[in-house]
Amino acid sequence: KHLSMPKRSRRDLMAPLPILDAPSLLAFLEEHDFKQVHAHTIWHALVQKDLASLQELASVKNVPKRLVGLLQGHFALTTSKVCTVKHAKNGQTTKLLIEMQDGAKVETVIMH
């Protein structure tokens, strides 16, 4: 008899997980017995305080220090990277090639 592995989603295969991935962060908080409200505190701090690392969450009011340590082992601020940037000669557009965590590449254009 042939055994097969259960199918896993792309999210299951990603490591570290993006901290802005709501389902992943909320599940993590529940799994580690933290209140879900911490997710909103974390997201607010990341956006409003422009934090450069997850470690900086330790200075955010109402984010437990123990949680910060756990987050650093499972999450990242960003999981994609900019591969190339091309500016149009007229200066009106910028084209970005972004590599996602799973290796897929996405091209986007910013219109100034």
Side-chain angles (χ1 to χ4, degrees), residues 9-18 21 24 74 79 101-102:
S9 71
R10 288 172 61 183
R11 177 181 288 147
D12 292 336
L13 300 174
M14 292 190 302
L17 295 168
D21 180 348
S24 294
H74 297 314
T79 57
Q101 186 176 23
D102 65 358

Side-chain angles (χ1 to χ4, degrees), residues 41 49 57-65:
T41 304
K49 297 179 184 288
L57 287 170
S59 66
V60 175
K61 184 179 177 183
N62 297 326
V63 176
K65 306 291 186 260

Side-chain angles (χ1 to χ4, degrees), residues 64-77:
K65 306 291 186 260
R66 185 174 76 85
L67 175 56
V68 175
L70 292 170
L71 290 173
Q72 291 179 81
H74 297 314
F75 291 93
L77 286 180

Side-chain angles (χ1 to χ4, degrees), residues 14-37:
M14 292 190 302
L17 295 168
I19 194 75
L20 297 176
D21 180 348
S24 294
L25 181 56
L26 293 171
F28 181 86
L29 292 173
E30 184 176 331
E31 180 182 323
H32 291 87
D33 297 320
F34 287 100
K35 295 178 183 174
Q36 303 263 319
V37 71

